[in-house]
Amino acid sequence: MLLSLASKHSFYTKNHTAKTMKKIILGAKSFIFSLSMMALFTFCGSPQNQEKMAEQTQDTYYSMEDFGKVKKFDTHVHFRSQFDTLFIKQAAKDNFGMLTVSVYSSPTRTPEDQENFSLKMVRDYPDIVSYATTFSLDGFNEEDWESKTLAYLEKSIAHGAIAVKVWKNIGMELKNESGELVTINDKKFEAILKLLKEKDITLLGHLGEPKNTWLPLEEMTVQGDKDYFSENPKYHMYNFPDFPSYEDQVGARDEMLANNPDLRFVGAHLGSLEYDVNELAKRLDQFPNMAVDMAERISHLQYQAITNWQGVHDFFIKYQDRLIYGTDLRTGASDIQAKGLTEADEIAAHAHEVWLRHWQFFTADDEMNVPKVDGTFKGLKLPKAVVDKIYRYNAEKWYPGLLR
């Protein structure tokens, strides 16, 4: 009996102690939670701290008022005459550095002439202008073409060229001795690509054309393409069914990249994959050495944003290290000609308008309408960190030596 009572007393004591300890622990947790909540409400409750929290939210994004304050690059412009300096002066006001790009498009506009003018701009505006050179295709089928071209590029790089541009005439106009069109994966370009790799120079490639050019004018998706190909019918491939297809053009570029994985390459104009961010994403996944600029193709992104805003937005977030801002500004551009702009202040104002409209697309979430797109879309409202990469840090990464 005594043993039984002792046993019950022991059980009661242990059980009572456990319950007591549990109450103490729960009480302590409750006390700590109360203190935490009091501290949180005290922090959030003061006007000063509410302002700090609001500032942190605002600091995530840029506003339209930030446009002129942020350092930026336009990495794809064409300066060919003294008149083009008005772009540079407007760029200085809008806080842009610029990469002027030479293009071999005809024997009358030689690479030497373009380079000499670019070098003058670099001397006159050393804090704003850098330049990309190109090379002539004259005499391509002659034995000494390769040695002459390599010597010219060596000289251009020594003068300060930070990139070399190849144009769509490779693949669409240039022919070999047999009369066949030559594409960028031709063996005659191998020595040039090797030189660029050795010199750590970026290849800027406008290879192929927008997919729209294989469509009738009335079926093209953006007004800029309708204007350009109506003015330049020799590049409207819909009228030339015997020429290489769109897939042939892009495929030749892809083969060149696959064969040169250590070549730093920037695909001009969204890499001629402007029509679908998903197709462009496939190439960026496949070729880590490839980035793209957006010159004269932002309207294609805006067109896609009408029906696939989330897809375009997410593309920018995922590939934020591979996208570079550019416009293709030049006094001979279709939009400038269509508006009949001739005065310096008119063209400078147009450049400012284009830059500002693009900034709105990337930084705001307003409903937008633009001249080259038929429809309404919403701005992407990208975070500051992404905007900074697009406008500045990617340019500095993919174009080493870019002045700023």
Side-chain angles (χ1 to χ4, degrees):
M1 176 105 183
L2 289 171
L3 287 172
S4 178
L5 288 171
S7 177
K8 287 180 179 180
H9 177 73
S10 175
F11 172 79
Y12 172 80
T13 302
K14 289 180 181 178
N15 194 39
H16 177 73
T17 303
K19 289 181 178 179
T20 302
M21 290 301 296
K22 188 175 182 180
K23 287 181 179 179
I24 292 171
I25 292 171
L26 289 173
K29 287 183 176 179
S30 178
F31 179 71
I32 292 170
F33 177 77
S34 298
L35 286 177
S36 300
M37 292 304 295
M38 286 174 65
L40 179 62
F41 286 132
T42 300
F43 176 81
C44 295
S46 70
Q48 296 86 353
N49 289 323
Q50 286 180 349
E51 289 177 7
K52 286 181 180 179
M53 293 178 69
E55 287 173 5
Q56 289 175 358
T57 302
Q58 292 168 1
D59 284 347
T60 306
Y61 301 97
Y62 284 123
S63 67
M64 293 303 294
E65 289 71 29
D66 293 318
F67 172 73
K69 304 173 187 176
V70 177
K71 293 181 179 180
K72 304 176 291 293
F73 284 105
D74 186 336
T75 62
H76 195 134
V77 297
H78 300 286
F79 299 150
R80 293 167 177 164
S81 71
Q82 198 65 35
F83 193 58
D84 291 323
T85 58
L86 59 95
F87 287 130
I88 303 174
K89 293 174 181 177
Q90 185 62 48
K93 295 178 182 178
D94 289 337
N95 211 355
F96 272 103
M98 310 184 86
L99 178 63
T100 180
V101 179
S102 297
V103 180
Y104 178 74
S105 56
S106 71
T108 58
R109 186 178 289 146
T110 67
E112 291 88 348
D113 290 342
Q114 294 178 69
E115 179 160 314
N116 289 336
F117 186 75
S118 294
L119 288 171
K120 181 181 185 306
M121 294 297 97
V122 170
R123 288 193 299 269
D124 291 347
Y125 304 93
D127 296 327
I128 300 177
V129 180
S130 301
Y131 85 102
T133 190
T134 189
F135 54 87
S136 176
L137 297 174
D138 285 349
F140 178 78
N141 293 311
E142 297 174 7
E143 290 185 5
D144 61 350
W145 178 83
E146 181 181 300
S147 60
K148 286 181 177 178
T149 301
L150 292 174
Y152 178 79
L153 290 176
E154 290 261 18
K155 183 182 70 173
S156 293
I157 294 167
H159 286 165
I162 64 169
V164 172
K165 170 74 177 285
V166 289
W167 199 48
K168 63 190 179 187
N169 49 4
I170 298 174
M172 303 186 84
E173 292 179 343
L174 179 65
K175 294 184 178 181
N176 60 22
E177 292 175 327
S178 303
E180 300 167 327
L181 285 168
V182 176
T183 51
I184 194 63
N185 55 346
D186 191 279
K187 290 184 177 180
K188 289 198 74 170
F189 296 113
E190 289 180 357
I192 293 173
L193 301 180
K194 181 181 177 182
L195 175 67
L196 299 185
K197 289 182 281 188
E198 290 174 350
K199 297 289 186 180
D200 194 31
I201 296 295
T202 300
L203 178 66
L204 172 60
H206 177 176
L207 299 164
E209 280 286 71
K211 198 170 186 179
N212 273 339
T213 191
W214 277 267
L215 297 174
L217 284 172
E218 62 273 13
E219 293 182 21
M220 293 183 181
T221 55
V222 299
Q223 189 61 42
D225 285 350
K226 293 177 183 179
D227 293 341
Y228 179 82
F229 293 112
S230 62
E231 296 169 8
N232 297 273
K234 68 177 180 177
Y235 298 122
H236 188 187
M237 291 297 102
Y238 176 77
N239 297 322
F240 301 97
D242 294 335
F243 271 53
S245 67
Y246 171 81
E247 289 75 17
D248 291 334
Q249 297 284 336
V250 174
R253 188 274 315 282
D254 289 352
E255 182 178 317
M256 181 273 292
L257 289 176
N259 292 336
N260 295 274
D262 49 351
L263 172 72
R264 187 170 55 248
F265 178 78
V266 173
H269 313 297
L270 291 175
S272 294
L273 293 158
E274 71 298 316
Y275 72 100
D276 187 351
V277 292
N278 295 316
E279 287 299 316
L280 178 52
K282 291 177 185 177
R283 293 339 191 274
L284 295 176
D285 289 340
Q286 185 177 359
F287 304 116
N289 59 325
M290 176 183 181
V292 293
D293 77 28
M294 295 179 263
E296 192 45 50
R297 299 295 184 268
I298 291 174
S299 60
H300 290 265
L301 298 169
Q302 294 167 334
Y303 175 78
Q304 291 175 68
I306 296 173
T307 56
N308 186 27
W309 181 92
Q310 194 66 53
V312 176
H313 176 273
D314 293 350
F315 171 80
F316 271 85
I317 298 298
K318 183 174 181 179
Y319 297 98
Q320 59 186 269
D321 296 315
R322 316 280 288 281
L323 308 172
I324 308 170
Y325 182 71
T327 58
D328 210 12
L329 274 174
R330 59 199 188 280
T331 52
S334 297
D335 49 356
I336 289 177
Q337 299 301 312
K339 290 182 177 180
L341 305 180
T342 57
E343 299 298 323
D345 57 347
E346 293 176 337
I347 295 178
H350 172 76
H352 175 72
E353 177 186 331
V354 169
W355 285 327
L356 202 60
R357 188 161 57 232
H358 291 163
W359 178 265
Q360 181 183 2
F361 177 56
F362 293 129
T363 64
D365 58 359
D366 306 324
E367 293 288 332
M368 296 181 63
N369 296 97
V370 297
K372 295 181 181 179
V373 177
D374 185 14
T376 300
F377 54 90
K378 192 174 68 168
L380 298 179
K381 199 172 180 64
L382 300 171
K384 277 186 176 181
V386 178
V387 174
D388 286 337
K389 288 180 180 180
I390 290 170
Y391 275 100
R392 184 180 181 185
Y393 298 125
N394 291 346
E396 294 173 338
K397 172 185 175 181
W398 290 88
Y399 292 110
L402 193 64
L403 295 177
R404 191 60 169 147

